[in-house]
Amino acid sequence: MADLATPSAAAISTSGASKTAVDSKDKAPVVKPERPDEEAYKTELTKAEKDLKTAEERMKAIKSKVDSARPNNKDSPSAQRQQELREELKTIRTTQQSSKSSRGQVLDKIKRLDQNLKARIAEQKL
């Protein structure tokens, strides 16, 4: 049966047979992990806290810039421009709404005329 096995299967089946009791003695002894250095931990922690503080200060500065860019009063030019754009958007929406409703009315009229036409055709066939 071993003659019929594939080479990879034969290698797998015989790979564990060559080990003996002598091999287990040659293994390296188990090494326990060292105790973590508390001073190194504290120095890394203080460095990380310092980096965090600088990042928070940068974030506050950026937020203040963003807040200053927003218009607080309605008389500023950017606020007036926003208001103009909102009004334009409102007019566009109303025109689209009216065109959509008129299109629906036209389709309803076409549907009614089509039904009348089909009814007249059916009457003529009788």
Side-chain angles (χ1 to χ4, degrees):
M1 183 79 179
D3 294 338
L4 299 175
T6 61
S8 60
I12 291 172
S13 65
T14 59
S15 64
S18 66
K19 291 185 179 179
T20 60
V22 177
D23 288 342
S24 63
K25 291 181 182 177
D26 292 338
K27 289 184 180 178
V30 177
V31 178
K32 292 184 180 180
E34 294 182 21
R35 186 176 189 132
D37 187 13
E38 194 169 334
E39 290 298 320
Y41 168 75
K42 287 182 180 180
T43 56
E44 288 181 27
L45 181 64
T46 56
K47 182 183 177 215
E49 287 175 348
K50 182 180 176 185
D51 291 342
L52 177 66
K53 283 183 182 181
T54 58
E56 286 176 345
E57 289 173 1
R58 282 185 26 223
M59 185 177 70
K60 283 182 183 179
I62 291 171
K63 278 189 177 182
S64 67
K65 283 183 181 180
V66 169
D67 289 340
S68 68
R70 288 187 191 157
N72 291 336
N73 56 3
K74 295 184 179 183
D75 297 332
S76 69
S78 59
Q80 290 175 353
R81 176 71 177 145
Q82 284 180 355
Q83 189 65 26
E84 290 172 1
L85 291 174
R86 284 191 183 114
E87 290 172 7
E88 185 179 345
L89 180 64
K90 198 179 290 184
T91 58
I92 290 171
R93 284 182 179 161
T94 55
T95 56
Q96 286 179 343
Q97 184 74 20
S98 65
S99 66
K100 185 177 179 181
S101 64
S102 67
R103 186 174 59 236
Q105 291 172 354
V106 169
L107 289 176
D108 288 341
K109 186 175 182 181
I110 290 172
K111 192 182 292 184
R112 275 187 275 116
L113 292 172
D114 189 40
Q115 287 175 351
N116 287 340
L117 185 63
K118 286 182 181 179
R120 287 181 183 174
I121 291 173
E123 287 176 9
Q124 287 182 354
K125 286 185 179 178
L126 296 176

